[in-house]
Each structure stands twice: as C-alpha cells, then as structure tokens.
Amino acid sequence: MASGRGDHISALPDELLHRVLSFLPAHEVVWTCLLGRRWRNLWRSAPALRVTGVKGCYNSEWFVNFVHTLLLLRDSRVHLDSFEIDLDERDFDFEAFLPENDDHVNTWFRHAVMCGPRVLLALRTTHGVFTDSDDYCTLQLLNVPLASHHLTRLELKQMYNRGELMEPSEAIHDRPPGTQGMGVGLIFPPVVGPRGIA
C-alpha cells in the first residue's frame, strides 16, 4: 500500500467485515489473522462457518485437526447465523476422506447443532470423498436430536436416513414465511446400512 494512505478495509466496522468473511471458506477466514492486529481475532467471532476441503493440503489428518481446532478456538459466546460442512472432492487434494473419518464428521455436525445456527445448518458430501464405490453415500448421522427455535433452513445431501439415500429435494427443510417462532424439530433415528446400525 502506498505510504501516506491508511488501511481503509481494516477501518470498517466488525459487522461489515464479518459479512465479508461469511462468504469465505473457514480456512481462508482463519488466514485473515495474518493481515494485521485488527484482524488477529476477528475470525473467532465470525457469525458464519463454512468448512470445506483445503486445496493444496495433502494430509487428511491435518485437515481433521484444523477443523477440530477451529471449532475449539471459535468464540462460543457469538451466535452463529450459519454452519455449513461441505465435503466436495473438488476441494480435496488428499486420498478419499470417508468412511475413515465418519466419526469426525459426526462430531462436527453435533457441534454445529449445539452452536444453534439461526439461519442455515448444512452437511453435504459428494461421491469423490468416499474411498470406493461400495462406500459411496454410507455417511450416516448418529442419533442427533435437532431442535431449534431459530433455524430456517436445514440441508442434508448424500447421506442415509432410515436406510435410504436422501435426495436433495427431500433433504432440504425450509420454514414457511411468517413462521419464525415455530422452530424446527428433526430426529435422525438409528440407520441400517451396508456397515450395520449407525
């Protein structure tokens, strides 16, 4: 930046910076802490988390540790507007991620539920994150009761519910307009799939 000019972006209010950060994947949001003192802890209070694969990362263990650390260090006093877990093979540069890491993904989803997002809660997978075609779409949510007075949209893509693959149209719940106080209540029962009961 030319001398004599200030950092105008850092001078913006937190609310606006958080809005900008909400469009970025979580790993890029965390990297903003390197921009300067003003940004050092800003990522911790971002109201939106979008966990995706990290291009250039060739180690799935590092990725798992990154997500665990992200969730641990985030300021839990700040309400979440949205929490998305997007596991898309186009974002991964390491070997297939599931089913080896099913337990981790379930832990992240349970954490997301406990954070009580107010607008969107999403868990999406694609074919390429599975080890082989026999494992495809065997990600099963454990018994996770989900009740919220705030959540307006729930997306679950490419996973089993009651032993059947959920189609995107079935897996998206939108609250009708004018029902803000009604809440959402879903329970994911035990699932019988290729690997037995979840």
Side-chain angles (χ1 to χ4, degrees):
M1 193 171 283
S3 61
R5 295 186 181 177
D7 178 0
H8 298 294
I9 294 177
S10 294
L12 294 172
D14 283 1
E15 184 177 311
L16 190 53
L17 293 177
H18 282 147
R19 176 75 175 145
V20 172
L21 294 178
S22 71
F23 293 100
L24 299 174
H27 59 278
E28 292 181 10
V29 171
V30 171
W31 290 339
T32 63
C33 73
L34 302 174
L35 296 176
R37 184 177 301 161
R38 169 78 167 82
W39 295 83
R40 190 166 297 151
N41 292 302
L42 194 64
W43 69 271
R44 294 175 191 251
S45 56
L49 277 181
R50 210 175 120 240
V51 175
T52 68
V54 181
K55 291 301 282 182
C57 171
Y58 299 94
N59 185 328
S60 61
E61 186 177 333
W62 178 92
F63 176 72
V64 167
N65 288 334
F66 166 76
V67 177
H68 283 316
T69 304
L70 169 78
L71 299 178
L72 181 68
L73 295 181
R74 187 186 172 278
D75 187 346
S76 60
R77 298 169 298 177
V78 177
H79 289 290
L80 271 177
D81 290 330
S82 67
F83 195 124
E84 300 174 74
I85 302 172
D86 272 314
L87 304 178
D88 187 321
E89 76 265 20
R90 294 169 293 188
D91 296 326
F92 286 88
D93 283 332
F94 45 75
E95 292 300 315
F97 189 65
L98 299 172
E100 182 180 340
N101 292 289
D102 277 7
D103 289 343
H104 296 300
V105 174
N106 268 288
T107 298
W108 303 339
F109 188 76
R110 284 196 305 271
H111 183 88
V113 170
M114 289 189 305
C115 287
R118 295 184 284 196
V119 178
L120 171 65
L121 175 60
L123 174 56
R124 308 178 193 101
T125 66
T126 61
H127 177 70
V129 298
F130 292 88
T131 301
D132 56 48
S133 58
D134 291 337
D135 292 321
Y136 178 42
C137 293
T138 58
L139 176 61
Q140 301 170 11
L141 291 179
L142 302 179
N143 292 340
V144 181
L146 171 59
S148 172
H149 293 288
H150 307 287
L151 190 65
T152 58
R153 186 169 175 89
L154 173 66
E155 291 184 27
L156 302 174
K157 181 180 175 189
Q158 301 295 347
M159 64 195 60
Y160 276 87
N161 179 31
R162 300 178 192 266
E164 296 179 3
L165 179 65
M166 296 180 73
E167 296 297 330
S169 59
E170 298 172 29
I172 298 174
H173 175 92
D174 280 315
R175 177 181 295 162
T179 59
Q180 193 63 25
M182 289 180 62
V184 175
L186 290 175
I187 295 179
F188 299 100
V191 175
V192 179
R195 290 177 292 156
I197 298 177

